[in-house]
Coordinates of all heavy atoms in Angstrom, one line a residue:
G1 N 134.0 4.6 147.5 CA 135.1 5.3 147.0 C 136.0 4.5 146.0 O 137.0 5.0 145.5
H2 N 135.6 3.3 145.7 CA 136.4 2.5 144.7 C 136.1 3.0 143.3 O 135.1 2.9 142.8 CB 135.9 1.0 144.8 CG 136.4 0.2 143.7 ND1 135.6 -0.4 142.7 CD2 137.7 -0.2 143.5 CE1 136.4 -1.1 141.9 NE2 137.6 -1.0 142.3
V3 N 137.2 3.6 142.7 CA 137.1 4.3 141.4 C 137.3 3.3 140.3 O 138.2 2.4 140.4 CB 138.1 5.4 141.3 CG1 138.1 6.0 139.9 CG2 137.8 6.5 142.3
H4 N 136.4 3.3 139.3 CA 136.5 2.4 138.2 C 135.8 3.0 137.0 O 135.2 4.0 137.0 CB 135.8 1.1 138.6 CG 134.4 1.3 139.0 ND1 134.0 1.7 140.3 CD2 133.2 1.2 138.4 CE1 132.7 1.8 140.4 NE2 132.2 1.5 139.2
I5 N 135.9 2.2 135.9 CA 135.3 2.6 134.6 C 134.8 1.3 134.0 O 135.4 0.3 134.1 CB 136.2 3.4 133.7 CG1 135.5 4.0 132.5 CG2 137.4 2.5 133.2 CD1 136.3 4.9 131.6
A6 N 133.6 1.4 133.3 CA 133.1 0.3 132.6 C 133.0 0.7 131.1 O 132.6 1.8 130.8 CB 131.7 -0.1 133.1
R7 N 133.5 -0.2 130.2 CA 133.5 0.2 128.8 C 132.8 -0.9 128.0 O 132.9 -2.1 128.3 CB 135.0 0.3 128.4 CG 135.7 1.5 129.1 CD 137.2 1.5 128.9 NE 137.6 1.3 127.5 CZ 138.2 2.3 126.8 NH1 138.3 3.5 127.3 NH2 138.6 2.0 125.6
N8 N 132.2 -0.5 126.9 CA 131.7 -1.5 125.9 C 132.7 -1.5 124.8 O 132.7 -0.6 123.9 CB 130.3 -1.1 125.4 CG 129.8 -2.0 124.4 OD1 130.4 -3.0 124.0 ND2 128.6 -1.8 123.9
E9 N 133.6 -2.4 124.8 CA 134.7 -2.5 123.7 C 134.3 -3.2 122.5 O 135.1 -3.5 121.6 CB 136.0 -3.0 124.4 CG 136.4 -2.1 125.5 CD 137.7 -2.5 126.2 OE1 138.2 -3.6 126.0 OE2 138.3 -1.6 126.9
S10 N 133.0 -3.6 122.4 CA 132.5 -4.3 121.2 C 132.4 -3.2 120.1 O 132.3 -2.0 120.3 CB 131.0 -4.8 121.5 OG 130.4 -5.2 120.3
V11 N 132.4 -3.8 118.9 CA 132.2 -2.9 117.7 C 130.8 -2.9 117.1 O 130.5 -2.2 116.2 CB 133.3 -3.2 116.6 CG1 134.7 -2.9 117.1 CG2 133.2 -4.6 116.1
S12 N 130.0 -3.9 117.7 CA 128.7 -4.0 117.0 C 127.5 -4.3 118.0 O 126.4 -4.3 117.5 CB 128.7 -5.1 116.0 OG 129.1 -6.4 116.6
V13 N 127.8 -4.6 119.3 CA 126.7 -5.0 120.2 C 126.6 -4.0 121.3 O 127.6 -3.7 122.0 CB 127.0 -6.4 120.7 CG1 125.9 -6.8 121.7 CG2 127.1 -7.4 119.6
D14 N 125.3 -3.6 121.6 CA 125.1 -2.7 122.8 C 125.3 -3.5 124.0 O 125.1 -4.7 124.1 CB 123.6 -2.2 122.8 CG 123.4 -1.1 121.8 OD1 124.3 -0.6 121.2 OD2 122.2 -0.8 121.6
L15 N 125.8 -2.8 125.1 CA 126.0 -3.4 126.4 C 124.8 -3.0 127.2 O 124.5 -1.8 127.3 CB 127.3 -2.9 127.1 CG 127.4 -3.1 128.6 CD1 127.4 -4.6 129.0 CD2 128.6 -2.4 129.1
E16 N 124.1 -3.9 127.8 CA 123.0 -3.6 128.7 C 123.3 -4.2 130.1 O 123.5 -5.4 130.2 CB 121.6 -4.1 128.2 CG 120.5 -3.7 129.2 CD 119.1 -4.2 128.7 OE1 119.0 -4.7 127.6 OE2 118.2 -4.1 129.5
L17 N 123.3 -3.3 131.1 CA 123.5 -3.8 132.5 C 122.4 -3.2 133.4 O 121.9 -2.2 133.1 CB 124.9 -3.5 132.9 CG 125.3 -2.0 133.0 CD1 125.2 -1.5 134.5 CD2 126.7 -1.9 132.6
W18 N 122.2 -3.9 134.4 CA 121.3 -3.5 135.5 C 122.1 -3.4 136.8 O 122.9 -4.3 137.1 CB 120.1 -4.5 135.6 CG 119.2 -4.5 134.5 CD1 119.5 -4.7 133.2 CD2 117.8 -4.3 134.5 NE1 118.3 -4.6 132.4 CE2 117.3 -4.3 133.2 CE3 116.9 -4.0 135.6 CZ2 115.9 -4.2 132.9 CZ3 115.5 -3.9 135.3 CH2 115.1 -3.9 133.9
A19 N 121.9 -2.3 137.5 CA 122.7 -2.1 138.7 C 121.7 -1.8 139.9 O 120.7 -1.1 139.8 CB 123.6 -0.8 138.5
L20 N 122.0 -2.5 141.0 CA 121.3 -2.3 142.2 C 122.3 -1.6 143.2 O 123.3 -2.2 143.6 CB 120.8 -3.6 142.9 CG 120.3 -3.5 144.3 CD1 119.2 -2.5 144.4 CD2 119.9 -4.9 144.8
Y21 N 122.1 -0.3 143.4 CA 123.0 0.4 144.3 C 122.5 0.3 145.7 O 121.3 0.7 146.0 CB 123.0 1.9 143.9 CG 123.3 2.1 142.4 CD1 122.3 2.2 141.4 CD2 124.7 2.3 142.0 CE1 122.7 2.4 140.1 CE2 125.0 2.5 140.7 CZ 124.0 2.6 139.7 OH 124.3 2.8 138.4
L22 N 123.3 -0.2 146.6 CA 122.9 -0.3 148.0 C 123.5 0.9 148.8 O 124.6 1.4 148.5 CB 123.5 -1.6 148.6 CG 123.1 -2.9 147.9 CD1 123.9 -4.1 148.4 CD2 121.6 -3.1 148.1
D23 N 122.7 1.2 149.8 CA 123.2 2.2 150.8 C 123.5 3.6 150.2 O 124.5 4.2 150.3 CB 124.4 1.8 151.6 CG 124.6 2.5 152.9 OD1 123.6 3.0 153.4 OD2 125.8 2.7 153.3
V24 N 122.5 4.1 149.4 CA 122.5 5.4 148.8 C 122.0 6.4 149.8 O 121.0 6.2 150.5 CB 121.7 5.4 147.5 CG1 121.6 6.8 146.9 CG2 122.3 4.4 146.5
P25 N 122.6 7.6 149.9 CA 122.0 8.6 150.8 C 120.6 9.0 150.3 O 120.3 9.0 149.1 CB 122.9 9.9 150.6 CG 124.2 9.3 150.1 CD 123.8 8.1 149.3
P26 N 119.7 9.2 151.3 CA 118.3 9.5 150.9 C 118.2 10.7 149.9 O 118.8 11.7 150.1 CB 117.6 9.9 152.2 CG 118.4 9.2 153.2 CD 119.8 9.2 152.7
A27 N 117.6 10.4 148.7 CA 117.5 11.3 147.6 C 118.8 11.8 147.1 O 118.9 12.8 146.4 CB 116.6 12.5 148.0
G28 N 119.9 11.1 147.4 CA 121.2 11.5 147.0 C 121.7 10.8 145.8 O 121.1 9.9 145.2
A29 N 122.9 11.2 145.4 CA 123.6 10.6 144.2 C 124.0 9.2 144.5 O 124.5 8.9 145.6 CB 124.8 11.5 143.9
F30 N 123.9 8.3 143.5 CA 124.4 7.0 143.6 C 125.6 6.8 142.7 O 126.2 5.7 142.6 CB 123.3 5.9 143.2 CG 122.5 6.3 142.0 CD1 123.0 5.8 140.7 CD2 121.4 7.0 142.0 CE1 122.3 6.1 139.6 CE2 120.6 7.3 140.9 CZ 121.1 6.8 139.6

């Protein structure tokens, strides 16, 4: 339930991130 936003505030470089979501409902939204 922790609400947040991630932004790429760069003007020239792509942001690449990898996320490991723990405890997702089976076949559910992460």
Side-chain angles (χ1 to χ4, degrees):
H2 171 247
V3 174
H4 56 279
I5 189 170
R7 297 168 49 107
N8 181 358
E9 296 181 348
S10 167
V11 294
S12 61
V13 178
D14 286 348
L15 164 64
E16 180 179 351
L17 62 100
W18 289 56
L20 169 59
Y21 305 92
L22 301 172
D23 199 31
V24 174
F30 47 87

